[in-house]
Amino acid sequence: MSTSVSEPQATQAIRIADVCKSYGDYPVLKNINAEVARGEVVVICGPSGSGKSTLIRTVNRLEEINSGGISFEGQDIHAPMRGSELNKLRSSIGFVFQSFNLFPHLSVVENVSMSPIRVKGIAANVAHDKALKLLDRVGLADKANSYPGQLSGGQQQRVAIARALAMEPPVMLFDEPTSALDPEMVGEVLSVMKSLAADGMTMLCVTHEMGFARDVADRIWFIDAGEILETAPPEDFFKNPRHPRAQRFLADLRH
Amino acid sequence: MIHDFITIIQDYWLLLLIGQYPNGPLGGLANTLILSALAIAFAFPVSILMALARLSKWWFLRWPMTALVYVTRGVPLLMLILWCYFVIPLWTGADVPSFLIMLVTLVIYQGAFLSEVVRAGIVSLGQGQMDAARALGHGYMGAMRFVILPQALYNMIPSMISTFVSTIKDTTLGYVINVPDLTFAASQVNNQLLTQPFQVFLILAVVYYILCWSLTFVANSVERRIARRRAGPRNVRLPAEAAPLKTITEQL
């Protein structure tokens, strides 16, 4: 770990430096170097099995890495640290999963308010009011007392976004947030994400929604076989992809 | 025939209910109930700790606990009882009452079985719930307490009830080390009457059946109430949801 990822950088929210990871002999991430500036929306795209999800899961250390470093607001996430420190760091990185992972034994409003209460120690009534506001923001105020099992996929994912926002993270990570949804529910989730981006949230999104990438992203990272092959603003990436693999990927998408 | 039952119950109900008490130790049904309740009350938290130890990333917790669970599950309860009965006084040098020995044995034995149930409940939730909790900043124990265990234990209610019911049944084995429980009282009655073993032990069976069945009944209604709360006022899918538990627990 010779990389100096811990240096505070004024404009960077996330800095990924020389990150390598392998499962046994199989390399999943090969020397990844990339940065996300504050307020930037980055979309990671690439074919299946290219390491997109693994990469985004290393950013809040749900996956460990073999070498390199990832700094979040100047702090090295993968440095040896006490569990409580890591929990604190994680609580300031919002994460939205492909499979929602709502807590089915809690009502919607409890899902959103539980972690502020238990992790941050916020008073229950304050957290509850805040949760209702967030649910209103994602258009689900009327579902506050429902249970996740009673909601559609799109509604569940919007609750999951509200749950992540409840911790007031400066950065949000999205791991294929619409991939498990029926087509008619994709739009409602994307529009919540768009409104977040419009509010200046720093976002790192793995997604196959190229329309979203084109409209909302400031930059695209194209990743294949564990390597970032191209980073470009969406207009460049979609009109003139430089890397042959990216050209092939986009050609396959248009079919 | 019916007359025999009534006579036995009329003559011996107090012995069957509380044993020799107050002239001797508390026994009979009262003791069976106390032993069962204590065994379940202790085995439950013990089993959660055992399950967490078995799932621990630290080998010094995982290995000994795995060994303990495997050995306990692979040995007949009667053997374990006799073993504790002879070994614990040797170790402690004290005159440990047989009730206490029976309680400790039951807690270890049922704790081991229950820990496998709890472990299965935790594992079957999958990684997603733990990931979600960790991503929100919960520590391992916080995630367990607020996210994993409430779901795992709820899902495992049917299996836990069967373990609780077998705990009640297993208290009868205390007979071999002279724990003055209901079985012990019944055999005293039988020794006095000598000619009516069928009637005496049928009474015993009926009492145990009522005991075990009412535990199952209570558990069923608790589970249904939770299911109703979760389903909310609009979703009334209850009968279908409650049915599987019933089919499982009634096969005991």
Side-chain angles (χ1 to χ4, degrees), chain A residues 240-251:
Chain A
N240 307 305
R242 275 167 293 146
H243 198 282
R245 185 67 190 87
Q247 291 165 2
R248 196 144 38 98
F249 176 74
L250 288 171

Side-chain angles (χ1 to χ4, degrees), chain B residues 22-225:
Chain B
N23 303 315
L26 183 69
L29 178 61
N31 216 25
T32 291
L33 286 174
I34 292 171
L35 182 58
S36 307
L38 286 179
I40 290 170
F42 284 112
F44 183 57
V46 161
S47 73
I48 293 176
L49 294 178
M50 286 168 105
L52 292 183
R54 286 208 59 191
L55 292 169
S56 169
K57 59 182 177 190
W58 295 309
W59 62 266
F60 56 87
L61 285 178
R62 196 173 62 241
W63 289 358
M65 197 49 74
T66 306
L68 178 68
V69 169
Y70 268 68
V71 168
T72 311
R73 278 160 46 95
V75 163
L77 176 57
L78 186 56
M79 228 217 70
L80 208 61
I81 294 168
L82 291 173
W83 196 72
C84 287
Y85 182 66
F86 292 116
V87 168
I88 290 180
L90 270 183
W91 279 353
T92 60
D95 182 20
V96 186
S98 56
F99 178 87
L100 195 58
I101 286 174
M102 191 61 199
L103 179 60
V104 170
T105 317
L106 277 175
V107 168
I108 295 171
Y109 188 76
Q110 300 296 353
F113 274 88
L114 211 47
S115 79
E116 288 294 89
V117 172
V118 174
R119 193 173 68 98
I122 292 171
V123 171
S124 69
L125 283 183
Q127 191 58 35
Q129 292 288 311
M130 186 50 112
D131 280 351
R134 300 309 295 273
L136 285 161
H138 291 271
Y140 179 81
M141 289 318 276
M144 274 292 165
R145 180 171 156 210
F146 299 118
V147 176
I148 305 294
L149 284 177
Q151 297 181 63
L153 296 180
Y154 170 75
N155 293 341
M156 287 293 128
I157 287 176
S159 309
M160 286 195 291
I161 298 308
S162 14
T163 314
F164 291 162
V165 168
S166 52
T167 307
I168 296 178
K169 293 181 193 165
D170 288 346
T171 59
T172 55
L173 286 172
Y175 177 75
V176 298
I177 57 169
N178 294 325
V179 178
D181 69 340
L182 180 61
T183 312
F184 190 83
S187 109
Q188 280 181 315
V189 173
N190 185 47
N191 287 343
Q192 286 181 25
L193 294 171
L194 287 174
T195 54
Q196 296 172 316
F198 173 76
Q199 290 87 333
V200 171
F201 289 110
L202 189 66
I203 293 172
L204 187 64
V206 168
V207 175
Y208 276 114
Y209 182 83
I210 292 171
L211 207 54
C212 296
W213 179 84
S214 33
L215 179 60
T216 312
F217 179 81
V218 169
N220 274 333
S221 41
V222 168
E223 204 226 7
R224 224 168 338 207
R225 193 179 313 158

Side-chain angles (χ1 to χ4, degrees), chain A residues 14 56-57 59-60 93-97 171-175 202-206:
Chain A
I14 300 168
I56 202 168
R57 285 168 62 89
V59 174
N60 73 345
I93 304 176
F95 200 102
V96 176
F97 296 85
V171 168
M172 288 281 284
L173 310 179
F174 293 84
D175 183 7
T202 309
M203 291 162 64
L204 183 57
C205 321
V206 173

Side-chain angles (χ1 to χ4, degrees), chain A residues 57 102-103 105 115 147 150, chain B residues 129 131 138 146 151 229 231:
Chain A
R57 285 168 62 89
L102 291 181
F103 306 134
H105 62 300
S115 301
Y147 280 79
Q150 298 169 271
Chain B
Q129 292 288 311
D131 280 351
H138 291 271
F146 299 118
Q151 297 181 63
R229 189 171 64 79

